[in-house]
Amino acid sequence: DGMNVLIIVVDDLRPVLGCYGDNLVKSPNIDQLASRSIMFTNAYAQQAVCAPSRVSFLTGRRPDTTRLYDFYSYWRVHSGNYSTIPQYFKENGYMTLSVGKVFHPGISSNYSDDYPYSWSMPPFHPSTEKYENDKTCRGKDGKLYANLVCPVDVTEMPGSTLPDIQSTEEAIRLLNVMKTNKQKFFLAVGYHKPHIPLRYPQEFLKLYPLENITLAPDPWVPEKLPSVAYNPWMDIRQRDDVKALNVSFPYGLLPYNFQRQIRQSYYAAVSYLDMQVGLLLNALDDAGLSNSTIVVFTADHGWSLGEHGEWAKYSNFDVATRVPLMFYVPGMTTSSVTQGERVFPYLDPFSHILDLVPQGQSKNVVVELVSLFPTLAELAGLQVPPVCPETSFHVALCTEGASIVRYFDASEEKVEEEKDGCDDTYRCV
Amino acid sequence: NGEPVAFSQYPRPADTPQWNSDKPRLKDIRIMGYSVRTIDYRYTVWVRFNPDNFSADFKDVHAGELYMMETDPNQDCNIYNNTSHGVFFKKIF
């Protein structure tokens, strides 16, 4: 009667992961999840900014249909009463739960994360979320700032914790409640990091000595980049440490050493996130739910780490639109596990020796985040929503993406065939 | 040719960077960048956009980008205005 679903959505995570071939990052737990999953190496968001991307993939509609290009409208009022992935699962007998940042907060999700439409109970937000942009970063002078680069002593933080640590604790609590109640569930966990500010437990810096951190391969503004395509990364310019650098607008470059510090902190934040994901998946094992739960891991969009002289996401470049996307489906992406067998034992990023990243199945076919809705419906054995007509403002349930389950068991040759045997773009064109 | 593609888009208030270029409000959007991404290339056209009726005018192209992934995986060399490549794609799109 259908699997449970655990969907993990990470804020501003580009595929800086060992399983995606990054040799610097330490992400053992996400790599382990990938080794048991189907991993898509060419997955793209439809718009590289928080609310528009999340509303798009959660409703299965493109931005031109949600008509949300900024943060200031609610699709059910502004465009159409579109159903969402969690709403559809809720209507099909699931208990749907949201922890952390799944919908973007504010008017774009009706100030309620689209509750009660999408969720069976009020969404959980960590109490320390409100300090995210406060002056909590200790500067060299000992004073507190609202910096971009913000490694912290967690014991000094408000509540002696951080939002994603609280989210993991709440998600684990909910997993145990679902297990006790034998309730079929759809649990969405939204992690805030590595979204700016890059605020993470300072011990993660040890994983990335600054001398090992390089600049982006192309840290300059490309000569023939149209001015309209460039994004001037205004948000990070407002952080205290960046503001103090007085970089000229719009094309001035950050000092190289500071660029390396940003990249160092992004990687450190990714390992901190990997730890949280590891604890969450370990709890799935503990609750005996790994054999009956589909796990999806993805992000709302990527982030520029200095490429093209850019920081942030606000563009159509691959570094901003490409996202990790992987599906663990018990019995499909792995053979079924025996009762009690551990699928996701927690791996400590500080001690786990990374010799070879475990390999799962990866597909390099180009796919879109807007396909998540039909794909999840098909994987859970629900009726796959119909394809939307050309204009679908009046249609509550349909999708503008195509299920990608057909690629799960497709051989590489079959995927290539889908490319119509076109090995020479110009010849075919 | 039926090859899987990914579409993405990004709004802009103006042709040159300004204070609200990253996150323009709907009413301030004047240009929309539409991208088509395949395994082989990313093609983007930045066209005039009317926020009042959400229409994009593909006859009013403000700028274009074309990157061939095989030779330029980091998308540093925009060849949209090169005669051979750009003309091909302009014709198609």
Side-chain angles (χ1 to χ4, degrees):
Chain A
D1 56 350
M3 290 264 186
N4 302 311
V5 176
L6 169 63
I7 176 168
I8 303 171
V9 180
V10 185
D11 213 359
D12 289 22
L13 178 66
R14 61 190 268 172
V16 179
L17 297 165
C19 48
Y20 277 84
D22 190 293
N23 297 322
L24 178 66
V25 75
K26 292 175 175 54
S27 55
N29 293 284
I30 297 167
D31 296 342
Q32 178 174 249
L33 170 63
S35 71
R36 299 184 181 16
S37 304
I38 287 277
M39 187 179 80
F40 287 86
T41 57
N42 271 307
Y44 295 87
Q46 278 42 85
Q47 185 173 333
V49 72
C50 297
S53 175
R54 291 165 185 267
V55 167
S56 173
F57 73 72
L58 287 164
T59 60
R61 312 293 176 102
R62 299 181 184 281
D64 279 346
T65 303
T66 67
R67 291 182 164 168
L68 181 70
Y69 308 108
D70 56 18
F71 296 81
Y72 306 110
S73 62
Y74 180 37
W75 72 92
R76 295 185 194 274
V77 172
H78 187 69
S79 303
N81 190 27
Y82 313 141
S83 180
T84 68
I85 298 174
Q87 178 183 356
Y88 190 58
F89 275 75
K90 181 180 172 189
E91 289 164 354
N92 277 279
Y94 281 73
M95 171 73 94
T96 58
L97 309 157
S98 171
V99 171
K101 183 178 181 180
V102 177
F103 279 98
H104 187 75
I107 191 174
S108 64
S109 58
N110 204 28
Y111 298 103
S112 69
D113 295 334
D114 197 42
Y115 174 78
Y117 293 98
S118 287
W119 309 106
S120 306
M121 54 190 266
F124 169 86
H125 281 275
S127 59
T128 57
E129 208 174 53
K130 57 182 174 288
Y131 304 112
E132 197 61 358
N133 290 307
D134 284 5
K135 293 182 182 291
T136 58
C137 317
R138 194 162 301 280
K140 290 189 180 65
D141 58 7
K143 291 177 186 162
L144 292 178
Y145 295 90
N147 285 340
L148 167 67
V149 175
C150 186
V152 293
D153 176 346
V154 176
T155 61
E156 286 186 359
M157 293 295 105
S160 298
T161 185
L162 287 171
D164 287 342
I165 294 172
Q166 289 183 293
S167 292
T168 302
E169 290 162 352
E170 174 64 8
I172 290 172
R173 188 188 72 79
L174 288 172
L175 281 176
N176 287 312
V177 169
M178 295 301 111
K179 175 197 170 184
T180 307
N181 297 347
K182 294 187 175 35
Q183 170 64 55
K184 192 167 62 172
F185 64 85
F186 175 103
L187 171 61
V189 180
Y191 285 116
H192 292 81
K193 295 303 132 191
H195 187 294
I196 68 167
L198 300 171
R199 187 165 78 115
Y200 55 89
Q202 60 199 2
E203 54 268 30
F204 283 88
L205 272 174
K206 285 184 227 138
L207 295 175
Y208 302 100
L210 192 58
E211 58 269 25
N212 295 349
I213 306 295
T214 62
L215 291 176
D218 46 355
W220 56 84
V221 180
E223 197 183 315
K224 292 185 180 176
L225 181 70
S227 56
V228 67
Y230 178 78
N231 84 87
W233 35 279
M234 290 303 287
D235 52 355
I236 77 163
R237 290 175 192 265
Q238 279 137 50
R239 311 300 298 178
D240 288 340
D241 47 356
V242 180
K243 205 184 295 178
L245 296 170
N246 210 16
V247 176
S248 64
F249 180 88
Y251 296 118
L253 293 182
L254 288 169
Y256 283 164
N257 197 50
F258 191 72
Q259 290 194 34
R260 293 170 54 225
Q261 284 179 45
I262 297 174
R263 291 169 63 88
Q264 175 193 43
S265 279
Y266 188 92
Y267 274 79
V270 169
S271 290
Y272 161 51
L273 160 72
D274 177 83
M275 175 183 195
Q276 298 308 310
V277 171
L279 293 170
L280 178 59
L281 293 177
N282 187 67
L284 200 66
D285 272 355
D286 287 344
L289 292 169
S290 300
N291 207 21
S292 58
T293 303
I294 295 166
V295 179
V296 182
F297 179 84
T298 193
D300 56 346
H301 48 74
W303 206 72
S304 280
L305 277 167
E307 291 89 353
H308 318 113
E310 293 184 334
W311 303 89
K313 55 250 187 178
Y314 315 109
S315 81
N316 277 332
F317 271 114
D318 278 16
V319 289
T321 56
R322 186 164 165 257
V323 290
L325 179 61
M326 58 186 84
F327 299 82
Y328 161 74
V329 185
M332 180 189 281
T333 63
T334 57
S335 51
S336 285
V337 291
T338 52
Q339 196 62 31
E341 185 184 350
R342 302 199 72 82
V343 181
F344 306 118
Y346 175 71
L347 302 172
D348 183 350
F350 290 92
S351 55
H352 182 68
I353 305 300
L354 273 178
D355 40 20
L356 274 182
V357 174
Q359 293 302 304
Q361 297 172 71
S362 74
K363 303 289 178 186
N364 77 348
V365 59
V366 172
V367 295
E368 299 178 298
L369 265 190
V370 74
S371 291
L372 198 52
F373 196 151
T375 302
L376 266 179
E378 182 170 353
L379 287 174
L382 304 180
Q383 180 86 29
V384 176
V387 173
C388 292
E390 184 142 350
T391 56
S392 64
F393 300 112
H394 57 285
V395 180
L397 178 63
C398 72
T399 175
E400 291 184 321
S403 170
I404 59 177
V405 174
R406 70 182 184 280
Y407 298 129
F408 278 36
D409 56 8
S411 64
E412 276 312 305
E413 293 71 33
K414 192 153 176 303
V415 171
E416 281 302 316
E417 272 169 31
E418 177 131 343
K419 285 173 67 178
D420 205 8
C422 177
D423 57 357
D424 179 342
T425 303
Y426 300 113
R427 182 181 55 75
C428 295
V429 164
Chain B
N1 59 8
E3 184 178 5
V5 299
F7 294 100
S8 61
Q9 60 193 95
Y10 207 85
R12 291 279 191 250
D15 284 297
T16 54
Q18 53 189 52
W19 69 274
N20 64 342
S21 289
D22 295 341
K23 291 188 272 188
R25 299 197 63 140
L26 173 61
K27 65 180 178 56
D28 299 323
I29 298 173
R30 295 294 176 272
I31 301 154
M32 189 72 79
Y34 286 97
S35 285
V36 175
R37 180 69 168 73
T38 77
I39 285 288
D40 306 311
Y41 60 86
R42 174 167 65 92
Y43 180 71
T44 300
V45 281
W46 296 87
V47 299
R48 187 160 61 87
F49 184 83
N50 182 345
D52 299 329
N53 57 18
F54 301 94
S55 62
D57 181 353
F58 282 88
K59 293 191 181 61
D60 186 352
V61 176
H62 287 225
E65 297 171 83
L66 176 61
Y67 307 97
M68 303 309 290
M69 299 313 294
E70 192 172 355
T71 52
D72 179 20
N74 291 333
Q75 303 184 347
D76 293 321
C77 304
N78 179 10
I79 58 172
Y80 178 82
N81 288 319
N82 291 25
T83 49
S84 58
H85 300 109
V87 166
F88 258 133
F89 282 88
K90 281 176 190 155
K91 259 205 197 109
I92 293 173
F93 291 103

